[in-house]
Amino acid sequence: MALPILTPEERKAALEKAAIARKRRAVIKEELKSGEKKLSDVLTLAKDDPVIAKLKVTSLLQAMPGVGPAKSATIMETAKISPSRRVGGLGKHQAQRLIDLFG
């Protein structure tokens, strides 16, 4: 699939939109890490916020205190979640398993 040809203005707007999305996801992950937000709060936010919905589940889990790459892979396997799954694509049972683990 070929990338669309963008005008300089369209390219600039797309880059700004992407930067805002990255910052929003970074803030959410930092709030998880610091304990300001619970995982259940983020999963609820993802239903209405497409930026959070596009966050990978592995990235979200690794933002949790005490969860690194190995532990997140184990959690994902136990909860039957694909490594490429994004937060917005979680099924209700998968989301509930994560909530049961982290609150």
Side-chain angles (χ1 to χ4, degrees):
M1 181 163 122
L3 294 175
I5 298 174
L6 301 175
T7 65
E9 295 82 22
E10 290 172 327
R11 180 172 164 74
K12 183 178 178 185
L15 288 171
E16 288 173 359
K17 184 179 176 184
I20 290 169
R22 282 191 303 273
K23 287 177 188 174
R24 174 84 171 113
R25 287 190 289 266
V27 166
I28 289 296
K29 290 193 295 186
E30 186 57 41
E31 289 174 345
L32 268 176
K33 188 172 290 222
S34 69
E36 291 176 50
K37 285 205 185 298
K38 296 190 308 183
L39 186 64
S40 58
D41 298 336
V42 175
L43 294 178
T44 303
L45 281 174
K47 293 177 184 174
D48 299 323
D49 189 343
V51 171
I52 297 172
K54 290 182 181 179
L55 179 64
K56 287 202 171 198
V57 177
T58 54
S59 179
L60 184 69
L61 289 177
Q62 290 177 18
M64 301 291 293
V67 179
K71 193 168 187 179
S72 74
T74 303
I75 292 167
M76 299 274 288
E77 188 176 316
T78 303
K80 296 180 174 44
I81 301 172
S82 169
S84 62
R85 178 70 62 202
R86 296 187 184 273
V87 175
L90 286 174
K92 66 178 183 179
H93 297 293
Q94 293 171 328
Q96 189 58 50
R97 285 186 189 124
L98 294 178
I99 291 170
D100 290 344
L101 285 173
F102 294 106

